[in-house]
Amino acid sequence: MAASPHRSNDQPHDIAAHLMDQALGHLFSAALRTAAQHRIADHLSGGPRTAEQLAAATGTHAPHLRRVLRCLAARGIFREDATGAYGLTPSAQPLRTDVPDSLHPAVLMMTDELFLRTSAAMPDAVERDGASFERIFGAPLFAYLQSNPVVRRLFDDGMASLSAPVDEAVAEVYPFPESGTVVDVGGGRGGLLRAALRRRPELTGVLFDQPPPLAHHLLDGDELKGRWRTEAGDFFVSIPEGGDVYVLKHVLHDWSDGDCRRILRSCRTAMAAGTRLLIIDSVLPPGNTPHFGKTLDVAMMATVDGQERTAEEFATLLSAEGFRLTRVLPTSAFPSIVEAVAE
């Protein structure tokens, strides 16, 4: 039996095998997409099944499917038992389509060629200014999405899926006011606004974004009836006035510092002095500390010419547009809450 390429303390035992394993990371992404496309996790919701049983249920080739599942099981996605059957692990559960906060749409989005081709062109992004996405697809990401409704739906579904655990984590941690109005700027389908309104029965909200995500918002239902409205617009131009708390969740990381300042300028124009602004994004730790945001950062670089930031970088952006950073609150999800006050 071959030795494991890793020591128990996570230092590589076989440096060559470790490095090549990292170099072939795109194969793990492809294997994960394969499992998601064929809804393997759904087929395992009733208990472990063999590759042959799964192949019969999904119309796939059993020997090849077994090898894909073995690759995923080696990284904690699924688990092979002594009989050769595969079962769900905690990391595989979110791949199910029938569970709350399913990440199935997010996996399909992140493993789509839209991002795979962009990631493969990362050397180009490093060598030249601007995102490689635009050079590959002929337009910046958000302009491309506007002209491609099928891809836009994939993107919106994926972002809503990725956001769901974050929405609950933020609403649980942050002390939203008992009453007043929350303006969710670039809020997508409104998952965070919904989570906040559910916890504060007297709170009202405005969901502000472009028409495509607003058309599929999540705010309907008797529980929130009469407590919200949607408004379409461009946050580079203006945003709704009169809010008590403004939220930018997964917005600033899409943009360069210059564009972020334009967005913050629009916010400050709409906000009265003393009004709070919440930025929900990764806050990068210093040095070699592992953090998902550091992976996301290079994805932003290649895709939209955006970036993840440190607390100091957020403070600099905010102070330039009339805000003062007051605190950074961690959440149980990967982003943190950067709270600022309009001065």
Side-chain angles (χ1 to χ4, degrees):
M1 180 179 295
S4 168
H6 299 282
R7 296 183 188 272
S8 59
N9 63 358
D10 293 329
Q11 295 299 310
H13 175 73
D14 183 335
I15 292 177
H18 173 70
L19 187 59
M20 291 303 99
D21 192 44
Q22 305 308 307
L24 291 172
H26 59 280
L27 291 179
F28 175 69
S29 178
L32 190 59
R33 181 174 182 82
T34 300
Q37 280 192 326
H38 292 288
R39 301 196 172 190
I40 298 299
D42 285 354
H43 289 287
L44 294 177
S45 61
R49 302 177 75 176
T50 65
E52 289 73 21
Q53 291 170 324
L54 289 167
T58 59
T60 54
H61 181 67
H64 286 179
L65 180 61
R66 183 180 67 83
R67 291 159 71 177
V68 168
L69 294 175
R70 179 173 60 189
C71 172
L72 292 171
R75 299 201 181 196
I77 311 293
F78 308 118
R79 181 181 181 277
E80 184 180 10
D81 65 22
T83 70
Y86 288 88
L88 294 172
T89 60
S91 294
Q93 285 285 354
L95 287 174
R96 292 173 56 182
T97 62
D98 59 347
V99 295
D101 297 341
S102 169
L103 290 174
H104 183 267
V107 169
L108 289 179
M109 176 191 72
M110 289 188 165
T111 58
D112 186 77
E113 69 163 358
L114 199 69
F115 297 105
L116 293 185
R117 289 177 62 188
T118 306
S119 298
M122 194 172 296
D124 173 74
V126 170
E127 292 164 8
R128 296 195 279 172
D129 187 30
S132 53
F133 182 97
E134 184 172 355
R135 289 188 281 273
I136 295 170
F137 291 96
L141 173 65
F142 294 110
Y144 181 84
L145 294 177
Q146 285 184 328
S147 61
N148 292 270
V150 174
V151 181
R152 177 76 201 225
R153 186 62 186 269
L154 171 74
F155 180 82
D156 288 343
D157 287 347
M159 289 304 299
S161 166
L162 183 63
S163 292
V166 175
D167 296 336
E168 294 301 325
V170 171
E172 181 178 355
V173 168
Y174 191 76
F176 284 95
E178 294 294 332
S179 61
T181 300
V182 175
V183 181
D184 196 352
V185 179
R189 296 182 180 178
L192 176 56
L193 185 59
R194 179 181 63 176
L197 296 184
R198 281 176 170 174
R199 283 173 168 77
R200 298 288 190 270
E202 302 300 318
L203 198 60
T204 61
V206 180
L207 179 62
F208 179 78
D209 209 316
Q210 295 181 343
L214 293 182
H216 302 282
H217 70 74
L218 305 172
L219 300 173
D220 282 328
D222 292 339
E223 183 183 11
L224 304 182
K225 189 174 182 179
R227 297 172 52 204
W228 58 269
R229 65 180 174 88
T230 63
E231 184 172 330
D234 182 347
F235 50 46
F236 286 114
V237 178
S238 65
I239 63 174
E241 299 181 356
D244 298 285
V245 178
Y246 284 72
V247 179
L248 291 167
K249 180 173 74 72
H250 295 166
V251 171
L252 296 188
H253 78 160
D254 287 333
W255 304 97
S256 66
D257 283 354
D259 285 334
C260 284
R261 289 187 59 177
R262 291 172 59 201
I263 296 168
L264 291 171
R265 198 172 305 143
S266 292
C267 291
R268 184 63 189 88
T269 299
M271 297 168 63
T275 305
R276 286 178 286 172
L277 173 67
L278 309 183
I279 298 169
I280 317 300
D281 266 331
S282 298
V283 176
L284 300 182
N288 301 314
T289 304
H291 194 284
F292 174 62
K294 294 181 178 180
T295 301
L296 200 56
D297 179 52
V298 291
M300 295 298 101
M301 175 189 72
T303 307
V304 291
D305 200 23
Q307 66 181 94
E308 307 300 324
R309 294 174 170 87
T310 64
E312 291 76 14
E313 289 169 332
F314 278 118
T316 299
L317 279 177
L318 288 162
S319 64
E321 297 302 330
F323 292 95
R324 175 173 51 86
L325 192 155
T326 52
R327 57 178 170 168
V328 176
L329 294 174
T331 72
S332 59
F334 67 89
S336 295
I337 304 168
V338 178
E339 181 193 65
V341 173
E343 294 191 312

